[in-house]
Every structure is written in structure tokens, then in C-alpha cells.
């Protein structure tokens, strides 16, 4: 247990599973109070049990709905008196389609969950963040910079998250509020494992996910949590507008298969 985040109150969307759950775990280990907002009742109960936190700190919240986001943030402030960090982690990646095959409702849902949710949390939390000189962390993705086959709409939302992060950083810097993002490549989550297991050749997918990271393996969500702890802490007090790759070097370019063979 550490104290990097002692006495900080963190409002975390999409924190009941996957990367969000690992971030919540890391935040708690560093002394923060964490309020999780998600729209899946079962996973909220599981998160409360796994993290050993009160169910009152696991709020059912549709991040695309202004009224429920306002309610969750106001309830957090009423309980703890402040918010130091808003971590916008909630996100979806489906459908896996080319752009012309993407239906209007699929496009709208992607942008509502991945982008509009940032608008809503900021709208209702910025007053408290100004008082605490807090920070905002957005979970982006490497595909927001490099693109992804059959995920044009998803990649577009993450490109929007990156642009928002930089523009928000400029808007809120005069108030001492920092805004940064983390950009993973592949990350093993329960959802990814289930999807990989459903494929004809799960091992081939596992090998592919290892190979896209120059450090040689696809990580667990805890590495993203470690980066977010740093960005949420006073150790990052002079960092804003950054989209931080947490990707094992996946953004650095293609590697020679010959060199890969030699290393092995």
C-alpha cells in the first residue's frame, strides 16, 4: 500500500471491469477514495466485492445520459466534499466493421459512449476540479493515432478523445486543472480473453497480440493502472495535454521478422 493518492477522490467511469477495474485497484492501493460509475449492475456488485469497497461507491450510471451523470457526480461530491480526479474510462469498441457497413445507431452509440461521456463528466465535475486543482484522465487508444482495420468508427472516437484531451488541457490550464490521456495498444481483459477463446485459433491471436508489442508481450490492465496513478498524482503536476502511449512500444513501427527470429 502506498500514499501517492492519499485523500484524493477519484470518479471513474467504466471502472467495474477490464482496464477500469485494474485502475480502480491501483488507485485504492495508493490511498485514494474511488467512486465507480458503470451501467452493468452485476459487474458493479462484483467490483465492490473484488475491491472490498462499499456498494455505495459503485453507482449505476449511463455515461451517455446527462441526468444520470449529473446525479452520480453530485452524489460523489455530497459524500466526499470534492472530486480531485475524473477518469473517463468508459468505452466500447464494437462493431468491427468498415465505415460504409457501420449503421447510424452503431456510429451514434460509439460516439455517445466514447466521446459525449467526456463532455458530460466535464460539464458536471469541472466546478469541483477547479476548486481542488485536480485533473482529468481520458482512456484513449493507440488506434486513435495509427488507425485500425475494420474499426474505422472506433478509431475515429479515439482520435476525437486525443483532440479533446489537448484542447481541454489548454482550456483548463488557467485553473490549474490538468488533462491527459493514456493510449494502450492491446491489453488482456476478461472480455478479450472470451473473444479470443471463441476464435478458430486462439493461440494465433495470442501470438499476434504479443508480437505487436516490441517489449514482447500483451500486458494485463495493471500496467495501464500504474500509468494512470502517476498521471493522477502530484508527481505529474507539470504534465498536461499529453496522450501517453502505454503500449510496449507498439507505436514505434514495424520490426524485422529476421531480427525477431534472431532474438528468439
Amino acid at each position: 500500500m502506498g500514499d501517492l493518492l492519499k485523500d484524493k477522490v477519484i470518479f471513474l467511469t467504466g471502472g467495474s471491469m477490464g482496464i477500469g477495474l485494474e485502475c480502480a485497484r491501483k488507485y485504492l492501493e495508493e490511498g485514494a477514495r474511488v467512486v465507480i460509475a458503470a451501467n452493468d449492475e452485476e459487474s458493479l456488485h462484483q467490483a465492490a466485492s473484488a475491491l472490498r469497497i462499499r456498494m455505495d461507491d459503485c453507482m449505476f450510471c449511463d455515461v451517455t445520459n446527462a441526468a444520470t451523470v449529473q446525479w452520480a457526480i453530485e452524489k460523489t461530491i455530497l459524500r466526499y466534499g470534492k472530486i480531485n480526479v475524473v477518469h473517463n474510462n468508459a468505452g466500447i469498441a464494437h462493431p468491427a466493421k468498415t465505415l460504409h457497413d457501420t449503421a447510424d445507431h452503431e456510429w451514434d452509440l460509439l460516439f455517445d459512449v466514447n466521446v459525449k461521456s467526456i463532455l458530460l463528466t466535464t460539464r458536471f465535475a469541472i466546478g469541483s476540479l477547479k476548486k481542488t486543482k485536480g485533473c482529468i484522465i481520458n482512456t484513449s487508444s493507440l488506434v486513435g493515432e495509427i488507425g485500425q482495420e475494420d474499426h474505422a468508427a472506433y478509431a475515429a472516437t479515439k482520435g476525437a478523445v486525443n483532440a479533446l484531451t489537448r484542447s481541454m488541457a489548454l482550456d483548463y490550464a488557467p485553473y490549474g486543472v490538468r488533462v491527459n490521456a493514456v493510449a494502450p495498444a492491446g491489453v488482456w481483459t476478461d472480455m478479450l480473453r472470451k473473444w479470443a477463446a471463441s476464435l478458430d485459433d486462439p493461440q494465433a491471436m495470442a501470438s499476434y497480440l504479443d508480437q505487436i508489442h516490441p517489449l514482447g508481450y500483451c500486458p494485463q490492465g495493471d500496467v495501464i493502472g500504474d500509468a494512470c496513478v502517476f498521471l493522477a498524482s502530484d508527481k505529474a503536476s507539470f504534465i498536461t495535454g499529453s496522450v501517453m502511449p502505454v503500449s510496449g512500444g507498439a507505436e514505434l513501427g514495424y520490426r524485422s521478422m529476421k531480427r525477431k527470429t534472431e532474438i528468439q
Side-chain angles (χ1 to χ4, degrees):
M1 299 293 287
D3 60 1
L4 274 177
L5 303 178
K6 184 179 180 181
D7 297 328
K8 291 188 184 293
V9 176
I10 300 179
F11 184 84
L12 170 63
T13 68
S16 61
M17 62 179 71
I19 290 173
L21 182 63
E22 293 307 313
C23 288
R25 194 186 313 277
K26 292 289 185 175
Y27 291 150
L28 290 164
E29 288 175 357
E30 291 295 337
R33 297 182 178 95
V34 180
V35 174
I36 293 172
N39 68 344
D40 183 279
E41 286 277 12
E42 182 179 356
S43 69
L44 283 168
H45 282 278
Q46 291 173 348
S49 176
L51 299 172
R52 298 182 180 179
I53 61 176
R54 299 184 307 173
M55 194 60 207
D56 285 349
D57 286 333
C58 294
M59 301 182 185
F60 184 86
C61 175
D62 177 357
V63 296
T64 72
N65 182 285
T68 60
V69 173
Q70 183 176 14
W71 167 82
I73 287 174
E74 288 181 350
K75 187 175 179 181
T76 300
I77 296 170
L78 184 64
R79 176 174 299 150
Y80 292 116
K82 63 178 181 176
I83 293 177
N84 300 91
V85 180
V86 171
H87 183 171
N88 296 297
N89 176 74
I92 58 174
H94 55 273
K97 296 179 179 178
T98 55
L99 189 61
H100 72 277
D101 286 324
T102 303
D104 287 357
H105 72 274
E106 293 170 328
W107 173 275
D108 290 343
L109 184 59
L110 271 165
F111 273 86
D112 283 351
V113 175
N114 295 1
V115 184
K116 184 181 178 182
S117 60
I118 297 175
L119 161 69
L120 296 178
T121 60
T122 303
R123 176 182 294 164
F124 298 117
I126 192 62
S128 185
L129 291 173
K130 287 179 179 179
K131 291 177 182 177
T132 59
K133 295 190 182 299
C135 71
I136 297 170
I137 300 171
N138 299 321
T139 299
S140 185
S141 169
L142 187 58
V143 305
E145 295 290 339
I146 66 173
Q148 184 177 14
E149 185 178 22
D150 290 330
H151 280 85
Y154 171 68
T157 67
K158 294 305 184 179
V161 169
N162 294 349
L164 271 178
T165 297
R166 295 175 180 121
S167 296
M168 291 165 66
L170 290 171
D171 286 342
Y172 302 128
Y175 305 98
V177 175
R178 300 180 296 107
V179 186
N180 294 291
V182 289
V187 177
W188 281 116
T189 62
D190 289 343
M191 188 177 299
L192 179 58
R193 290 187 186 282
K194 289 178 183 177
W195 174 77
S198 72
L199 301 177
D200 291 337
D201 190 348
Q203 186 54 50
M205 176 53 65
S207 297
Y208 166 77
L209 290 170
D210 287 342
Q211 290 167 12
I212 65 173
H213 302 87
L215 287 182
Y217 65 96
C218 182
Q220 308 292 325
D222 61 324
V223 302
I224 313 302
D226 287 335
C228 290
V229 164
F230 169 69
L231 290 174
S233 77
D234 294 340
K235 297 289 186 182
S237 63
F238 207 62
I239 298 175
T240 195
S242 171
V243 178
M244 179 186 291
V246 190
S247 57
E251 73 281 5
L252 298 176
Y254 296 113
R255 291 171 297 154
S256 164
M257 289 303 295
K258 177 182 178 182
R259 174 160 173 74
K260 180 174 177 58
T261 302
E262 289 173 350
I263 292 172
Q264 290 176 336

